[in-house]
Amino acid sequence: MKPNISNPKKSPFTIEAADIMHKLPKQFFATLVQNVNREISAGHDVINLGQGNPDQPTPEHIVQAAQAAVANPLYHKYSPFTGYRFLKEAVAQRYYEDYGVTLNPDTEVAILFGGKTGLVQISQILLNPGDLCLVPDPGYPDYWSGTALAGAEMSFMPLRKDNAFLPDFNSISPRERERAKLMFLNYPNNPTGATAPLSFYEDTVDFASKHGIVVASDFAYGAIGFDGKRPVSFLQTEGAKEVGVEYYTLSKTYNMAGWRVGFALGNEKIISLINQLQDHIYVSLFGAIQEAAKVALTASQQNVADLVSLYENRRNTLFSALSDIGWEAAKPSGSFFAWLPVPKSWDSAAFAQKLLEEAKVAVAPGIGFGKHGEGYVRVGLLSEPERLREAVMRIGKLGLF
Ligand SMILES: Cc1ncc(COP(=O)(O)O)c(C=O)c1O
């Protein structure tokens, strides 16, 4: 019998989303992506500096390790629920070699499906509806998503240029200190490109332990520090493990954003809660990916050093071009972003729109990262130096500086 596809009878069945779905924040950058795609479809050569997707391929030795591991029948079975011990040992070894931090692979390491998943999960395991979470502003929007899913509230910690884009704990009110249960920090910082000194983390541990606030340190750009300075890990601070965890990811360090490998490291109780939640949602990552991730962490780290030089070289090219057109800005000390002030009398969204329409250059307006991101645009160092230079020259021709 032919299916009657023109049946006018309306289905009585309606799908209604749970209330929590309406609480999820709007994805600000979705509109930007649409606008960029529109320009590209119209045939324009858009230089897209608005995104944060590493442009280089994963190093060959990691890809080869994965290719060989795919053929191993062991990995065709379910992997152990909390992941393979060899991968936890590998990340513990890397932290010891790079930061002098000792981690117990069995109790102080959780394997995650990328950092993003972990950063959303931590609100689920620690926050009840109505609890307060301290979030950097400007900041990575996924901190908002997890807090919203937990039904918790957010209080924003402004990151200002005159405080080196670090939050000022003194300006957090007594009421907020008392209510807050969780705080997100992120250095090297997206979007400002700032890094944090050890003294800041010492203050953080003091503040957090005094007020009973768990610290989630997002170290996604931990490997990317410029001018010969390796960024400091939160876990290097005495007492850090008592008050929090650090999130680490292979996405940026090894150009493995598509592979989805991340870690939570530190406080035993939090690690066991993460494992408990994950037990109910996932079986761990594909074993072959875990093996390749182990190779990334334990083989020679020369590729990482080369990648940092590549970004530093792009940063220097960008800033020399900016100076040629009279656009004054401070160089980032880490991450692969530059945080550039917009000319006076412009707001960040209108400025970004002007660059897209008239220079065919896409940048991310600061307002998308929070109220205190207004007045800036974020530029990624994820294009070749010639393209960065050309983008700035096109902007220079608009005569705004
Ligand atoms: C600040 C920050 N944290 C975390 C992540 C998440 O990285 P992933 O989920 O790829 O590990 C990103 C990715 O862009 C980021 O910018």
Side-chain angles (χ1 to χ4, degrees):
M1 207 171 75
K2 270 194 184 166
N4 182 1
I5 49 170
S6 62
N7 187 352
K9 207 172 113 200
K10 244 185 145 196
S11 164
F13 196 84
T14 52
I15 308 285
E16 273 182 28
D19 293 347
I20 201 75
M21 295 304 290
H22 302 293
K23 294 199 176 133
L24 281 171
K26 280 224 167 65
Q27 291 281 24
F28 180 89
F29 292 106
T31 325
L32 177 74
V33 172
Q34 277 169 13
N35 293 347
V36 171
N37 288 341
R38 193 176 320 115
E39 294 288 340
I40 294 172
S41 323
H44 296 295
D45 169 30
V46 176
I47 305 182
N48 191 349
L49 310 180
Q51 284 174 340
N53 207 347
D55 63 309
Q56 297 294 299
T58 305
E60 194 50 37
H61 65 284
I62 303 173
V63 174
Q64 280 168 1
Q67 283 167 333
V70 166
N72 183 348
L74 173 68
Y75 297 143
H76 303 168
K77 299 170 184 252
Y78 290 118
S79 34
F81 269 36
T82 64
Y84 282 99
R85 193 174 193 279
F86 64 71
L87 179 54
K88 300 182 201 178
E89 279 172 15
V91 72
Q93 182 188 328
R94 175 88 350 260
Y95 256 66
Y96 185 69
E97 283 174 26
D98 287 354
Y99 308 109
V101 169
T102 314
L103 291 163
N104 181 334
D106 297 315
T107 55
E108 295 178 330
V109 176
I111 298 174
L112 310 168
F113 282 76
K116 178 179 166 111
T117 311
L119 291 160
V120 173
Q121 273 170 0
I122 190 157
S123 297
Q124 322 307 301
I125 62 171
L126 294 179
L127 301 178
N128 289 314
D131 281 344
L132 189 69
C133 177
L134 299 172
V135 181
D137 175 5
Y140 178 60
D142 284 338
Y143 310 141
W144 316 339
S145 318
T147 319
L149 285 174
E153 288 170 28
M154 291 190 285
S155 177
F156 292 100
M157 302 183 291
L159 307 186
R160 296 196 168 92
K161 186 175 173 226
D162 58 14
N163 198 40
F165 297 112
L166 299 168
D168 174 9
F169 297 139
N170 292 324
S171 69
I172 299 174
S173 72
R175 175 98 183 97
E176 286 170 318
R177 292 170 188 215
E178 207 175 293
R179 281 189 62 209
K181 282 181 74 180
L182 175 64
M183 174 201 299
F184 286 101
L185 294 175
N186 166 226
Y187 295 98
N189 184 255
N190 175 9
T192 68
T195 47
L198 193 63
S199 59
F200 168 73
Y201 288 132
E202 286 163 358
D203 294 347
T204 303
V205 170
D206 274 359
F207 181 79
S209 47
K210 204 159 152 200
H211 300 289
I213 303 171
V214 169
V215 176
S217 161
D218 177 2
F219 205 40
Y221 299 91
I224 310 171
F226 301 132
D227 308 308
K229 292 190 193 126
R230 182 194 289 282
V232 173
S233 155
F234 165 67
L235 296 178
Q236 281 173 259
T237 324
E238 221 187 302
K241 275 194 218 169
E242 270 100 84
V243 299
V245 281
E246 183 149 273
Y247 286 89
Y248 194 71
T249 165
L250 304 195
S251 294
K252 325 285 169 172
T253 314
Y254 304 100
N255 295 319
M256 291 175 72
W259 299 60
R260 312 309 303 136
V261 187
F263 302 94
L265 308 163
N267 186 278
E268 267 191 36
K269 170 80 186 187
I270 300 175
I271 297 300
S272 86
L273 289 170
I274 293 170
N275 284 331
Q276 188 188 342
L277 179 67
Q278 296 204 134
D279 262 4
H280 289 269
I281 307 179
Y282 314 109
V283 176
S284 190
L285 293 169
F286 179 32
I289 300 243
Q290 295 194 48
E291 180 149 341
K294 177 197 79 175
V295 169
L297 290 160
T298 54
S300 157
Q301 299 294 294
Q302 188 54 44
N303 291 89
V304 183
D306 294 346
L307 186 66
V308 174
S309 308
L310 176 132
Y311 288 138
E312 185 163 332
N313 179 33
R314 290 177 179 181
R315 178 198 68 164
N316 294 344
T317 302
L318 175 75
F319 276 77
S320 116
L322 290 173
S323 140
D324 289 346
I325 67 160
W327 191 347
E328 276 176 35
K331 283 183 180 168
S333 50
S335 84
F336 48 50
F337 298 114
W339 190 232
L340 308 177
V342 303
K344 287 203 173 61
S345 82
W346 282 92
D347 71 53
S348 60
F351 181 68
Q353 191 60 26
K354 171 121 179 139
L355 300 196
L356 181 60
E357 281 170 9
E358 295 182 24
K360 308 300 174 203
V361 173
V363 297
I367 189 70
F369 301 96
K371 196 171 96 188
H372 289 88
E374 188 48 276
Y376 289 87
V377 290
R378 191 193 72 178
V379 164
L381 302 172
L382 302 165
S383 305
E384 295 303 339
E386 313 81 69
R387 292 291 275 173
L388 292 171
R389 189 182 295 283
E390 187 188 331
V392 178
M393 291 309 132
R394 288 190 198 176
I395 296 169
K397 286 192 190 130
L398 302 182
L400 302 168
F401 295 96

